[in-house]
Amino acid sequence: MNEINWEAGAAWMKGELIPVSQASVPVTDWGLTHSDITYDVVHVWDGKFFRLDDYLLRFENSLRKCRLSVEQSRQDMRHILHQIVARSGLRYAYVSFVASRGQPLVAGCRDPRECANHFYAWCVPFVWVFTEDVIERGVRLHVDEQVRRIEQHAVDPTAKNYHWGDFTRALFAAKDAGFDNTLLLDERGNLTEGPGFNIFIIQDGIVYTPRSGVLEGITRQVAMEICAANGVTVQVTDVSLDQALQADELFATTTGGGIIPVTRINNHVFSNDAPGEITSRLRDSYWQLHNDPAMSEAVCY
Ligand code: PLP
């Protein structure tokens, strides 16, 4: 018998703690067949969950927006997340918790009210949305005007979801063109977000981030709090591609890596092709906040 490698990750499904490699959902689960699922991702850094309550609150809001209902209370979910990370022993982890519509109670039924909604959670070693060398040099983003972000009145981007059709098409275009990642515009030509991150621009010392068509990222929120604490004005507003191309600096925000310098969009180069000064300060502050006991909760290993 092979030894279980818990450090590869652990999952909680139907009351059991199992290795992540053994966690799976049935092929008839609507989470799989219809992307009828919501989820959230919090990180563990140096053995502590960062801002766990913010993530749990966003998840509860997503459940409500998607009309999903699971047995677990917020306390139950918190306990499960602690259990999986403790079981894995990981001190730096990517921790995903999910609610799926589940399987129809009567086979073949097509009424979303008649499905067995269920909760599960899993963790793996910390996932960087951008590799560390790309973060150091600055991210190069591709904007493909032919692939727009799905309309927010069709799929609500504020309920974290698996509808990645637009992102995946745009990611292929970005990778084919030699870029690190993609950033999608909405139908009006305003910036929205990328697969797994929000976007900010800085112009004349003022920070701007798109107001609509985006997930309200927890890291976006933390970045805005850091700006406020440092007297930097933030405006949550429409940001056109043209405005972005005039920016002094750009950065992305994500649980998978924090505040990330962006140095190129298509053939436009920002801040001398290196991480911008304000961005670098915000990034340092973000990591310093991880030492603030008010922001973190130690995993019960
Ligand atoms: N936008 C999308 C579509 C995402 O999936 C994510 C996170 O995965 C983000 C933005 C960033 O949100 P957060 O800072 O909460 O990780």
Side-chain angles (χ1 to χ4, degrees):
M1 272 265 294
N2 288 338
E3 279 279 298
I4 292 173
N5 175 16
W6 286 102
E7 288 225 333
W12 182 98
M13 293 197 104
K14 297 187 192 143
E16 304 276 337
L17 281 178
I18 54 177
V20 71
S21 59
Q22 291 175 17
S24 60
V25 293
V27 291
T28 52
D29 191 300
W30 281 25
L32 182 64
T33 59
H34 301 173
S35 293
D36 191 353
I37 202 160
T38 191
Y39 76 114
D40 222 297
V41 174
V42 59
H43 66 287
V44 166
W45 198 254
D46 194 17
K48 292 169 289 194
F49 284 104
F50 186 65
R51 310 263 301 217
L52 179 55
D53 276 304
D54 291 345
Y55 289 93
L56 288 167
L57 177 63
R58 182 172 67 182
F59 183 65
E60 284 170 2
N61 288 332
S62 298
L63 288 176
R64 200 173 23 78
K65 290 171 188 171
C66 298
R67 297 181 60 174
L68 282 158
S69 149
V70 294
E71 279 169 28
Q72 289 72 21
S73 66
R74 183 190 291 208
Q75 262 320 95
D76 296 336
M77 292 177 194
R78 180 192 302 279
H79 180 62
I80 289 167
L81 300 185
H82 274 272
Q83 275 187 306
I84 55 174
V85 178
R87 189 68 195 83
S88 73
L90 290 167
R91 297 195 60 82
Y92 297 85
Y94 171 104
V95 186
S96 183
F97 44 116
V98 188
S100 174
R101 187 73 61 203
Q103 292 172 293
L105 297 170
V106 175
C109 173
R110 300 183 70 83
D111 183 340
R113 296 167 304 179
E114 303 294 330
C115 290
N117 303 173
H118 63 112
F119 174 84
Y120 59 93
W122 50 276
C123 68
V124 291
F126 185 81
V127 172
W128 293 93
V129 169
F130 304 97
T131 58
E132 287 169 89
D133 52 325
V134 164
I135 297 173
E136 291 312 319
R137 77 133 148 76
V139 172
R140 299 172 182 172
L141 292 178
H142 183 246
V143 173
D144 180 349
E145 299 201 39
Q146 304 307 310
V147 185
R148 301 294 167 111
R149 184 85 173 106
I150 192 166
E151 222 279 318
Q152 60 179 331
H153 297 108
V155 175
D156 180 356
T158 69
K160 202 166 155 65
N161 62 68
Y162 284 174
H163 293 260
W164 266 46
D166 48 3
F167 285 149
T168 303
R169 275 181 67 198
L171 265 172
F172 269 112
K175 297 290 178 188
D176 287 348
F179 286 82
D180 300 317
N181 214 309
T182 182
L183 175 65
L184 273 72
L185 305 180
D186 66 15
E187 290 299 334
R188 297 165 303 155
N190 291 324
L191 306 191
T192 62
E193 58 190 344
F197 58 91
N198 291 110
I199 191 79
F200 288 73
I201 71 164
I202 308 177
Q203 177 84 63
D204 299 325
I206 299 181
V207 174
Y208 302 85
T209 194
R211 79 179 162 83
S212 65
V214 298
L215 178 72
E216 289 165 353
I218 304 298
T219 324
R220 172 180 182 261
Q221 177 60 35
V222 174
M224 293 196 280
E225 289 172 14
I226 295 171
C227 287
N230 289 283
V232 176
T233 304
V234 182
Q235 291 189 12
V236 180
T237 181
D238 288 336
V239 182
S240 69
L241 177 61
D242 284 345
Q243 248 174 301
L245 298 181
Q246 307 296 320
D248 301 322
E249 295 182 30
L250 280 96
F251 63 89
T253 58
T254 172
T255 298
I259 295 178
I260 315 279
V262 174
T263 50
R264 296 191 193 180
I265 292 184
N266 296 348
N267 56 359
H268 292 255
V269 177
F270 305 92
S271 50
N272 294 322
D273 214 10
E277 212 181 292
I278 299 177
T279 301
S280 298
R281 269 191 273 132
L282 296 174
R283 184 177 161 217
D284 291 345
S285 303
Y286 174 79
W287 288 111
Q288 275 160 21
L289 278 186
H290 286 67
N291 301 322
D292 178 347
M295 298 277 161
S296 291
E297 167 172 331
V299 175
C300 311
Y301 287 100

